[in-house]
Amino acid sequence: MNHDRNYKETAAKYGCSYSQVYSWVRKYDSQGADGLNDNRGHRKAEEDLTDNEKLEREIRRLKEELRRKEIEVKFLKKLSELGRGR
């Protein structure tokens, strides 16, 4: 910002791509310093969720639980088949 938005020079100085610097500047322009925070991997606290977000989170949890149960059933069936074959 202090050097007339020279993206190419900034990218070379920090060892990243031109497009990455451009992306950072766009985020900074639209959201300020908060836009530069990396929120990947961070989950909202339960009390900060909307009702819809709570329902979506519960659906994801139930789908994952169902997937694990289906894998367990397949495994036990295969184990049973192997036991009978002896």
mmCIF file of all heavy atoms in Angstrom, residues 16-48:
data_model
loop_
_atom_site.group_PDB
_atom_site.id
_atom_site.type_symbol
_atom_site.label_atom_id
_atom_site.label_comp_id
_atom_site.label_asym_id
_atom_site.label_seq_id
_atom_site.Cartn_x
_atom_site.Cartn_y
_atom_site.Cartn_z
ATOM 1 N N CYS A 16 5.801 -14.829 -2.917
ATOM 2 C CA CYS A 16 4.472 -15.349 -3.236
ATOM 3 C C CYS A 16 4.084 -14.852 -4.627
ATOM 4 O O CYS A 16 4.841 -14.145 -5.274
ATOM 5 C CB CYS A 16 3.454 -14.932 -2.180
ATOM 6 S SG CYS A 16 3.328 -13.162 -1.942
ATOM 7 N N SER A 17 2.920 -15.220 -5.075
ATOM 8 C CA SER A 17 2.507 -14.861 -6.428
ATOM 9 C C SER A 17 1.870 -13.465 -6.476
ATOM 10 O O SER A 17 1.359 -12.957 -5.483
ATOM 11 C CB SER A 17 1.516 -15.889 -6.959
ATOM 12 O OG SER A 17 0.298 -15.795 -6.250
ATOM 13 N N TYR A 18 1.910 -12.911 -7.666
ATOM 14 C CA TYR A 18 1.268 -11.622 -7.931
ATOM 15 C C TYR A 18 -0.210 -11.692 -7.561
ATOM 16 O O TYR A 18 -0.746 -10.812 -6.900
ATOM 17 C CB TYR A 18 1.442 -11.286 -9.412
ATOM 18 C CG TYR A 18 0.764 -10.025 -9.867
ATOM 19 C CD1 TYR A 18 1.478 -8.838 -9.975
ATOM 20 C CD2 TYR A 18 -0.585 -10.007 -10.217
ATOM 21 C CE1 TYR A 18 0.874 -7.667 -10.413
ATOM 22 C CE2 TYR A 18 -1.209 -8.845 -10.640
ATOM 23 C CZ TYR A 18 -0.473 -7.683 -10.740
ATOM 24 O OH TYR A 18 -1.072 -6.525 -11.163
ATOM 25 N N SER A 19 -0.859 -12.793 -7.977
ATOM 26 C CA SER A 19 -2.299 -12.914 -7.733
ATOM 27 C C SER A 19 -2.610 -13.006 -6.236
ATOM 28 O O SER A 19 -3.652 -12.531 -5.792
ATOM 29 C CB SER A 19 -2.880 -14.112 -8.471
ATOM 30 O OG SER A 19 -2.292 -15.306 -8.039
ATOM 31 N N GLN A 20 -1.700 -13.599 -5.456
ATOM 32 C CA GLN A 20 -1.919 -13.677 -4.011
ATOM 33 C C GLN A 20 -1.867 -12.292 -3.382
ATOM 34 O O GLN A 20 -2.705 -11.942 -2.562
ATOM 35 C CB GLN A 20 -0.890 -14.589 -3.345
ATOM 36 C CG GLN A 20 -1.137 -14.793 -1.862
ATOM 37 C CD GLN A 20 -2.478 -15.435 -1.569
ATOM 38 O OE1 GLN A 20 -2.706 -16.570 -1.946
ATOM 39 N NE2 GLN A 20 -3.363 -14.721 -0.912
ATOM 40 N N VAL A 21 -0.891 -11.486 -3.790
ATOM 41 C CA VAL A 21 -0.786 -10.115 -3.273
ATOM 42 C C VAL A 21 -2.026 -9.316 -3.675
ATOM 43 O O VAL A 21 -2.614 -8.609 -2.851
ATOM 44 C CB VAL A 21 0.498 -9.425 -3.788
ATOM 45 C CG1 VAL A 21 0.538 -7.961 -3.373
ATOM 46 C CG2 VAL A 21 1.733 -10.151 -3.289
ATOM 47 N N TYR A 22 -2.437 -9.463 -4.922
ATOM 48 C CA TYR A 22 -3.625 -8.763 -5.404
ATOM 49 C C TYR A 22 -4.853 -9.148 -4.575
ATOM 50 O O TYR A 22 -5.651 -8.300 -4.176
ATOM 51 C CB TYR A 22 -3.848 -9.077 -6.886
ATOM 52 C CG TYR A 22 -5.048 -8.391 -7.481
ATOM 53 C CD1 TYR A 22 -4.992 -7.051 -7.847
ATOM 54 C CD2 TYR A 22 -6.240 -9.085 -7.676
ATOM 55 C CE1 TYR A 22 -6.098 -6.413 -8.387
ATOM 56 C CE2 TYR A 22 -7.347 -8.456 -8.216
ATOM 57 C CZ TYR A 22 -7.271 -7.122 -8.564
ATOM 58 O OH TYR A 22 -8.363 -6.484 -9.094
ATOM 59 N N SER A 23 -4.975 -10.448 -4.289
ATOM 60 C CA SER A 23 -6.096 -10.941 -3.492
ATOM 61 C C SER A 23 -6.076 -10.332 -2.087
ATOM 62 O O SER A 23 -7.118 -9.927 -1.558
ATOM 63 C CB SER A 23 -6.037 -12.465 -3.412
ATOM 64 O OG SER A 23 -6.994 -12.964 -2.527
ATOM 65 N N TRP A 24 -4.899 -10.296 -1.481
ATOM 66 C CA TRP A 24 -4.779 -9.706 -0.139
ATOM 67 C C TRP A 24 -5.202 -8.241 -0.140
ATOM 68 O O TRP A 24 -5.902 -7.778 0.762
ATOM 69 C CB TRP A 24 -3.356 -9.816 0.381
ATOM 70 C CG TRP A 24 -2.944 -11.201 0.771
ATOM 71 C CD1 TRP A 24 -3.742 -12.214 1.204
ATOM 72 C CD2 TRP A 24 -1.616 -11.718 0.764
ATOM 73 N NE1 TRP A 24 -2.986 -13.327 1.465
ATOM 74 C CE2 TRP A 24 -1.680 -13.055 1.214
ATOM 75 C CE3 TRP A 24 -0.377 -11.185 0.422
ATOM 76 C CZ2 TRP A 24 -0.558 -13.862 1.331
ATOM 77 C CZ3 TRP A 24 0.749 -11.979 0.534
ATOM 78 C CH2 TRP A 24 0.656 -13.307 0.985
ATOM 79 N N VAL A 25 -4.761 -7.492 -1.142
ATOM 80 C CA VAL A 25 -5.091 -6.062 -1.220
ATOM 81 C C VAL A 25 -6.600 -5.881 -1.392
ATOM 82 O O VAL A 25 -7.211 -5.024 -0.749
ATOM 83 C CB VAL A 25 -4.305 -5.371 -2.353
ATOM 84 C CG1 VAL A 25 -4.805 -3.941 -2.567
ATOM 85 C CG2 VAL A 25 -2.818 -5.363 -2.031
ATOM 86 N N ARG A 26 -7.227 -6.705 -2.236
ATOM 87 C CA ARG A 26 -8.683 -6.624 -2.419
ATOM 88 C C ARG A 26 -9.406 -6.892 -1.103
ATOM 89 O O ARG A 26 -10.369 -6.206 -0.757
ATOM 90 C CB ARG A 26 -9.141 -7.605 -3.491
ATOM 91 C CG ARG A 26 -8.896 -7.102 -4.879
ATOM 92 C CD ARG A 26 -9.531 -7.916 -5.984
ATOM 93 N NE ARG A 26 -10.719 -8.630 -5.580
ATOM 94 C CZ ARG A 26 -11.002 -9.879 -5.921
ATOM 95 N NH1 ARG A 26 -10.192 -10.564 -6.686
ATOM 96 N NH2 ARG A 26 -12.109 -10.450 -5.530
ATOM 97 N N LYS A 27 -8.965 -7.923 -0.371
ATOM 98 C CA LYS A 27 -9.593 -8.229 0.922
ATOM 99 C C LYS A 27 -9.418 -7.069 1.887
ATOM 100 O O LYS A 27 -10.339 -6.702 2.614
ATOM 101 C CB LYS A 27 -8.993 -9.506 1.522
ATOM 102 C CG LYS A 27 -9.434 -10.760 0.836
ATOM 103 C CD LYS A 27 -8.797 -11.972 1.478
ATOM 104 C CE LYS A 27 -9.185 -13.244 0.756
ATOM 105 N NZ LYS A 27 -8.550 -14.417 1.364
ATOM 106 N N TYR A 28 -8.212 -6.496 1.911
ATOM 107 C CA TYR A 28 -7.946 -5.373 2.805
ATOM 108 C C TYR A 28 -8.816 -4.172 2.441
ATOM 109 O O TYR A 28 -9.368 -3.514 3.318
ATOM 110 C CB TYR A 28 -6.470 -4.996 2.758
ATOM 111 C CG TYR A 28 -6.109 -3.896 3.711
ATOM 112 C CD1 TYR A 28 -5.879 -4.176 5.054
ATOM 113 C CD2 TYR A 28 -6.030 -2.577 3.277
ATOM 114 C CE1 TYR A 28 -5.574 -3.157 5.951
ATOM 115 C CE2 TYR A 28 -5.723 -1.560 4.156
ATOM 116 C CZ TYR A 28 -5.490 -1.855 5.498
ATOM 117 O OH TYR A 28 -5.193 -0.855 6.375
ATOM 118 N N ASP A 29 -8.947 -3.914 1.151
ATOM 119 C CA ASP A 29 -9.766 -2.779 0.703
ATOM 120 C C ASP A 29 -11.231 -2.952 1.087
ATOM 121 O O ASP A 29 -11.894 -1.996 1.471
ATOM 122 C CB ASP A 29 -9.663 -2.604 -0.821
ATOM 123 C CG ASP A 29 -8.349 -1.970 -1.254
ATOM 124 O OD1 ASP A 29 -7.638 -1.401 -0.391
ATOM 125 O OD2 ASP A 29 -8.024 -2.055 -2.457
ATOM 126 N N SER A 30 -11.741 -4.172 0.981
ATOM 127 C CA SER A 30 -13.165 -4.372 1.237
ATOM 128 C C SER A 30 -13.502 -4.594 2.710
ATOM 129 O O SER A 30 -14.566 -4.199 3.162
ATOM 130 C CB SER A 30 -13.703 -5.548 0.410
ATOM 131 O OG SER A 30 -13.122 -6.751 0.842
ATOM 132 N N GLN A 31 -12.580 -5.227 3.481
ATOM 133 C CA GLN A 31 -12.908 -5.599 4.862
ATOM 134 C C GLN A 31 -11.946 -5.037 5.908
ATOM 135 O O GLN A 31 -12.118 -5.284 7.091
ATOM 136 C CB GLN A 31 -12.921 -7.120 4.987
ATOM 137 C CG GLN A 31 -13.881 -7.798 4.051
ATOM 138 C CD GLN A 31 -13.697 -9.307 4.056
ATOM 139 O OE1 GLN A 31 -13.253 -9.874 5.040
ATOM 140 N NE2 GLN A 31 -14.024 -9.951 2.961
ATOM 141 N N GLY A 32 -10.926 -4.324 5.460
ATOM 142 C CA GLY A 32 -9.933 -3.817 6.394
ATOM 143 C C GLY A 32 -9.023 -4.942 6.873
ATOM 144 O O GLY A 32 -8.966 -6.018 6.274
ATOM 145 N N ALA A 33 -8.333 -4.717 7.967
ATOM 146 C CA ALA A 33 -7.378 -5.701 8.496
ATOM 147 C C ALA A 33 -8.062 -7.027 8.855
ATOM 148 O O ALA A 33 -7.450 -8.089 8.754
ATOM 149 C CB ALA A 33 -6.658 -5.130 9.710
ATOM 150 N N ASP A 34 -9.333 -6.988 9.256
ATOM 151 C CA ASP A 34 -10.056 -8.220 9.595
ATOM 152 C C ASP A 34 -10.183 -9.156 8.395
ATOM 153 O O ASP A 34 -10.254 -10.365 8.557
ATOM 154 C CB ASP A 34 -11.454 -7.910 10.134
ATOM 155 C CG ASP A 34 -11.409 -7.299 11.523
ATOM 156 O OD1 ASP A 34 -10.381 -7.459 12.212
ATOM 157 O OD2 ASP A 34 -12.404 -6.667 11.907
ATOM 158 N N GLY A 35 -10.200 -8.611 7.195
ATOM 159 C CA GLY A 35 -10.299 -9.420 5.997
ATOM 160 C C GLY A 35 -9.077 -10.269 5.734
ATOM 161 O O GLY A 35 -9.114 -11.210 4.960
ATOM 162 N N LEU A 36 -7.985 -9.954 6.398
ATOM 163 C CA LEU A 36 -6.737 -10.692 6.202
ATOM 164 C C LEU A 36 -6.580 -11.851 7.178
ATOM 165 O O LEU A 36 -5.639 -12.631 7.059
ATOM 166 C CB LEU A 36 -5.536 -9.744 6.321
ATOM 167 C CG LEU A 36 -5.526 -8.598 5.304
ATOM 168 C CD1 LEU A 36 -4.361 -7.653 5.596
ATOM 169 C CD2 LEU A 36 -5.456 -9.119 3.885
ATOM 170 N N ASN A 37 -7.493 -11.976 8.115
ATOM 171 C CA ASN A 37 -7.434 -13.101 9.062
ATOM 172 C C ASN A 37 -7.708 -14.408 8.344
ATOM 173 O O ASN A 37 -8.588 -14.485 7.494
ATOM 174 C CB ASN A 37 -8.458 -12.925 10.191
ATOM 175 C CG ASN A 37 -8.071 -11.815 11.131
ATOM 176 O OD1 ASN A 37 -6.907 -11.495 11.278
ATOM 177 N ND2 ASN A 37 -9.068 -11.217 11.760
ATOM 178 N N ASP A 38 -6.958 -15.436 8.706
ATOM 179 C CA ASP A 38 -7.152 -16.765 8.134
ATOM 180 C C ASP A 38 -8.078 -17.537 9.066
ATOM 181 O O ASP A 38 -7.683 -17.940 10.149
ATOM 182 C CB ASP A 38 -5.809 -17.475 8.006
ATOM 183 C CG ASP A 38 -5.919 -18.828 7.351
ATOM 184 O OD1 ASP A 38 -7.027 -19.208 6.923
ATOM 185 O OD2 ASP A 38 -4.891 -19.514 7.255
ATOM 186 N N ASN A 39 -9.318 -17.731 8.635
ATOM 187 C CA ASN A 39 -10.301 -18.406 9.477
ATOM 188 C C ASN A 39 -10.491 -19.864 9.113
ATOM 189 O O ASN A 39 -11.424 -20.509 9.582
ATOM 190 C CB ASN A 39 -11.642 -17.681 9.410
ATOM 191 C CG ASN A 39 -11.563 -16.326 10.047
ATOM 192 O OD1 ASN A 39 -10.910 -16.162 11.068
ATOM 193 N ND2 ASN A 39 -12.184 -15.339 9.435
ATOM 194 N N ARG A 40 -9.620 -20.395 8.253
ATOM 195 C CA ARG A 40 -9.758 -21.804 7.886
ATOM 196 C C ARG A 40 -9.520 -22.667 9.116
ATOM 197 O O ARG A 40 -8.598 -22.440 9.882
ATOM 198 C CB ARG A 40 -8.751 -22.188 6.802
ATOM 199 C CG ARG A 40 -9.025 -21.502 5.487
ATOM 200 C CD ARG A 40 -7.965 -21.829 4.499
ATOM 201 N NE ARG A 40 -6.685 -21.322 4.994
ATOM 202 C CZ ARG A 40 -5.535 -21.475 4.373
ATOM 203 N NH1 ARG A 40 -5.469 -22.121 3.253
ATOM 204 N NH2 ARG A 40 -4.430 -20.976 4.878
ATOM 205 N N GLY A 41 -10.363 -23.663 9.279
ATOM 206 C CA GLY A 41 -10.204 -24.595 10.383
ATOM 207 C C GLY A 41 -10.782 -24.124 11.700
ATOM 208 O O GLY A 41 -10.755 -24.836 12.677
ATOM 209 N N HIS A 42 -11.305 -22.931 11.731
ATOM 210 C CA HIS A 42 -11.899 -22.410 12.964
ATOM 211 C C HIS A 42 -13.413 -22.517 12.864
ATOM 212 O O HIS A 42 -14.012 -22.119 11.877
ATOM 213 C CB HIS A 42 -11.495 -20.956 13.196
ATOM 214 C CG HIS A 42 -10.018 -20.775 13.333
ATOM 215 N ND1 HIS A 42 -9.349 -21.066 14.486
ATOM 216 C CD2 HIS A 42 -9.079 -20.380 12.462
ATOM 217 C CE1 HIS A 42 -8.073 -20.829 14.319
ATOM 218 N NE2 HIS A 42 -7.878 -20.410 13.083
ATOM 219 N N ARG A 43 -13.987 -23.055 13.904
ATOM 220 C CA ARG A 43 -15.445 -23.199 13.917
ATOM 221 C C ARG A 43 -16.047 -22.148 14.828
ATOM 222 O O ARG A 43 -15.463 -21.792 15.844
ATOM 223 C CB ARG A 43 -15.816 -24.592 14.420
ATOM 224 C CG ARG A 43 -15.404 -25.689 13.475
ATOM 225 C CD ARG A 43 -15.606 -27.048 14.088
ATOM 226 N NE ARG A 43 -16.915 -27.214 14.678
ATOM 227 C CZ ARG A 43 -17.775 -28.147 14.331
ATOM 228 N NH1 ARG A 43 -17.467 -29.000 13.403
ATOM 229 N NH2 ARG A 43 -18.939 -28.241 14.916
ATOM 230 N N LYS A 44 -17.220 -21.709 14.441
ATOM 231 C CA LYS A 44 -17.945 -20.765 15.294
ATOM 232 C C LYS A 44 -18.383 -21.486 16.561
ATOM 233 O O LYS A 44 -18.680 -22.677 16.544
ATOM 234 C CB LYS A 44 -19.204 -20.261 14.594
ATOM 235 C CG LYS A 44 -18.979 -19.274 13.495
ATOM 236 C CD LYS A 44 -20.339 -18.810 12.965
ATOM 237 C CE LYS A 44 -20.219 -17.825 11.860
ATOM 238 N NZ LYS A 44 -21.549 -17.424 11.358
ATOM 239 N N ALA A 45 -18.446 -20.744 17.642
ATOM 240 C CA ALA A 45 -18.971 -21.292 18.888
ATOM 241 C C ALA A 45 -20.462 -21.558 18.709
ATOM 242 O O ALA A 45 -21.142 -20.872 17.930
ATOM 243 C CB ALA A 45 -18.747 -20.307 20.032
ATOM 244 N N GLU A 46 -20.968 -22.549 19.397
ATOM 245 C CA GLU A 46 -22.378 -22.949 19.277
ATOM 246 C C GLU A 46 -23.325 -21.768 19.494
ATOM 247 O O GLU A 46 -24.310 -21.607 18.784
ATOM 248 C CB GLU A 46 -22.677 -24.070 20.276
ATOM 249 C CG GLU A 46 -24.009 -24.731 20.100
ATOM 250 C CD GLU A 46 -24.116 -25.621 18.869
ATOM 251 O OE1 GLU A 46 -23.094 -26.132 18.408
ATOM 252 O OE2 GLU A 46 -25.257 -25.788 18.373
ATOM 253 N N GLU A 47 -23.006 -20.908 20.453
ATOM 254 C CA GLU A 47 -23.896 -19.781 20.761
ATOM 255 C C GLU A 47 -23.870 -18.694 19.676
ATOM 256 O O GLU A 47 -24.748 -17.847 19.626
ATOM 257 C CB GLU A 47 -23.584 -19.182 22.133
ATOM 258 C CG GLU A 47 -22.177 -18.649 22.294
ATOM 259 C CD GLU A 47 -21.185 -19.691 22.789
ATOM 260 O OE1 GLU A 47 -21.556 -20.870 22.930
ATOM 261 O OE2 GLU A 47 -20.036 -19.313 23.032
ATOM 262 N N ASP A 48 -22.862 -18.720 18.792
ATOM 263 C CA ASP A 48 -22.763 -17.729 17.721
ATOM 264 C C ASP A 48 -23.451 -18.173 16.431
ATOM 265 O O ASP A 48 -23.527 -17.417 15.480
ATOM 266 C CB ASP A 48 -21.300 -17.412 17.413
ATOM 267 C CG ASP A 48 -20.599 -16.735 18.581
ATOM 268 O OD1 ASP A 48 -21.293 -16.104 19.395
ATOM 269 O OD2 ASP A 48 -19.362 -16.845 18.667
#
